[in-house]
Amino acid sequence: MITTEQREKLRGWFAGRLPDDLFEELTEVTVDREEITVIGRIPEPRLTEDASVAEREAAVRSRIQEFRERTREARMAVAREAEHRFDRKVSWGVVCDGERALFTHVAAPVMTRLRQPERQVLDTLIAGGVARSRSDALAWCVRLVQQHTDDWLTELRDSLEHVQRVRAQGPDTEAEQKDRPAEGE
């Protein structure tokens, strides 16, 4: 977990480092232990007002692909610098005409031990065609929980941030800080 201040500094670093013409707007910067995901809004394709849904969807997909290819070098340069500075992989995504697309991003393995009742749930999802593997089924479950518990997770994250702030004010903080390298070293 990182604090709100650390998250804001990270977002500020990207806002200041990204080329001005890369995105219309930097919409999201998320971070976990392995990865930083940077998402920005790109211009919608220009279509006639009577364009069909199929035409609009194809134009948006093409715009996203064009953006990905055209900006690859610039994004890679920023990613290399950020990966060195923050010790995390950087992934990219865009929002175009309401559609969100993520480019290649980290799929980190998560070790877990499940008892038979939990494995049966995963196997039922596989049998029902919802998932191809237990790993896919577990990811599906996590997304479902995330969808339905956003308020609870937000409150939990806020509480964890408070705990980190209190720990940072503790008596051992100064000694630990002297032993740690500064960010980016």
Side-chain angles (χ1 to χ4, degrees), residues 95-106:
V95 176
C96 181
D97 196 24
E99 183 172 330
R100 178 183 161 119
L102 291 176
F103 305 154
T104 304
H105 52 282
V106 175

Side-chain angles (χ1 to χ4, degrees), residues 147-166:
Q147 247 178 350
H148 295 291
T149 60
D150 266 346
D151 292 339
W152 181 81
L153 288 173
T154 299
E155 188 175 335
L156 180 60
R157 287 183 186 113
D158 290 345
S159 295
L160 289 171
E161 281 185 32
H162 179 71
V163 167
Q164 287 180 340
R165 282 193 303 272
V166 171

Side-chain angles (χ1 to χ4, degrees), residues 10 13-14 17-18 22-23 26 28-39 68 72 74-93 102-106:
L10 183 73
W13 185 88
F14 277 97
R17 178 58 183 86
L18 293 175
L22 188 64
F23 297 127
L26 179 61
E28 186 179 334
V29 177
T30 56
V31 62
D32 66 14
R33 282 186 272 177
E34 291 84 21
E35 177 181 32
I36 300 167
T37 304
V38 180
I39 299 174
R68 184 178 186 187
R72 182 172 279 118
R75 290 183 295 106
M76 286 174 62
V78 173
R80 277 191 296 273
E81 190 176 333
E83 288 170 6
H84 176 72
R85 181 180 182 98
F86 301 111
D87 198 29
R88 290 172 172 87
K89 288 292 184 187
V90 176
S91 301
W92 300 90
L102 291 176
F103 305 154
T104 304
H105 52 282
V106 175

Side-chain angles (χ1 to χ4, degrees), residues 9-75:
K9 285 181 179 180
L10 183 73
R11 181 180 172 88
W13 185 88
F14 277 97
R17 178 58 183 86
L18 293 175
D20 288 339
D21 60 345
L22 188 64
F23 297 127
E24 285 185 329
E25 174 189 9
L26 179 61
T27 59
E28 186 179 334
V29 177
T30 56
V31 62
D32 66 14
R33 282 186 272 177
E34 291 84 21
E35 177 181 32
I36 300 167
T37 304
V38 180
I39 299 174
R41 184 177 336 284
I42 62 174
E44 300 172 9
R46 289 186 228 163
L47 298 169
T48 61
E49 289 186 28
D50 63 340
S52 69
V53 171
E55 182 180 356
R56 183 168 300 284
E57 288 174 355
V60 167
R61 280 193 303 273
S62 294
R63 174 59 55 93
I64 291 169
Q65 188 61 35
E66 182 276 334
F67 171 86
R68 184 178 186 187
E69 292 170 12
R70 177 176 45 83
T71 64
R72 182 172 279 118
E73 291 299 320
R75 290 183 295 106

Side-chain angles (χ1 to χ4, degrees), residues 165-183:
R165 282 193 303 272
V166 171
R167 277 188 190 148
Q169 297 169 1
D172 297 333
T173 307
E174 289 180 26
E176 290 176 14
Q177 293 297 330
K178 290 177 185 173
D179 296 338
R180 289 190 189 155
E183 182 179 319

